[in-house]
């Protein structure tokens, strides 16, 4: 139970983080924000959340995070 939950959420965090970067690189900031917000909900720690907050702010300004 707990181990699966932990691994699953870390994996989904990585997937959503990767999709955010990919959409940002293509200039599709709307979808990048969508996946950034999903990643935020799954962030494993405060440091990851702080990084995502900065990335989301840049995306909302229409700036690539890569």
């Amino acid at each position: 139970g707990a181990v699966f939950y932990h691994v699953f959420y870390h994996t989904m965090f990585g997937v959503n983080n990767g999709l955010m970067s990919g959409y940002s690189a293509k200039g599709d900031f709307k979808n990048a924000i969508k996946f950034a917000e999903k990643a935020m909900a799954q962030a494993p720690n405060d440091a990851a959340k702080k990084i995502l907050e900065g990335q989301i702010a840049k995306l909302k300004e229409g700036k690539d995070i890569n």
Side-chain angles (χ1 to χ4, degrees):
V3 171
F4 171 78
Y5 178 84
H6 183 75
V7 170
F8 176 77
Y9 271 88
H10 273 285
T11 301
M12 290 312 297
F13 170 75
V15 168
N16 287 321
N17 212 27
L19 287 166
M20 171 190 66
S21 292
Y23 279 114
S24 178
K26 289 174 46 178
D28 185 347
F29 302 120
K30 182 179 174 188
N31 274 313
I33 291 166
K34 181 173 90 174
F35 286 102
E37 289 171 346
K38 288 183 181 190
M40 178 70 89
Q42 299 155 339
N45 54 47
D46 288 340
K49 287 180 183 177
K50 197 150 197 73
I51 291 167
L52 279 166
E53 285 170 1
Q55 291 174 321
I56 290 169
K58 278 180 103 172
L59 290 167
K60 287 183 175 178
E61 292 172 6
K63 296 179 182 170
D64 182 21
I65 56 162
N66 295 293

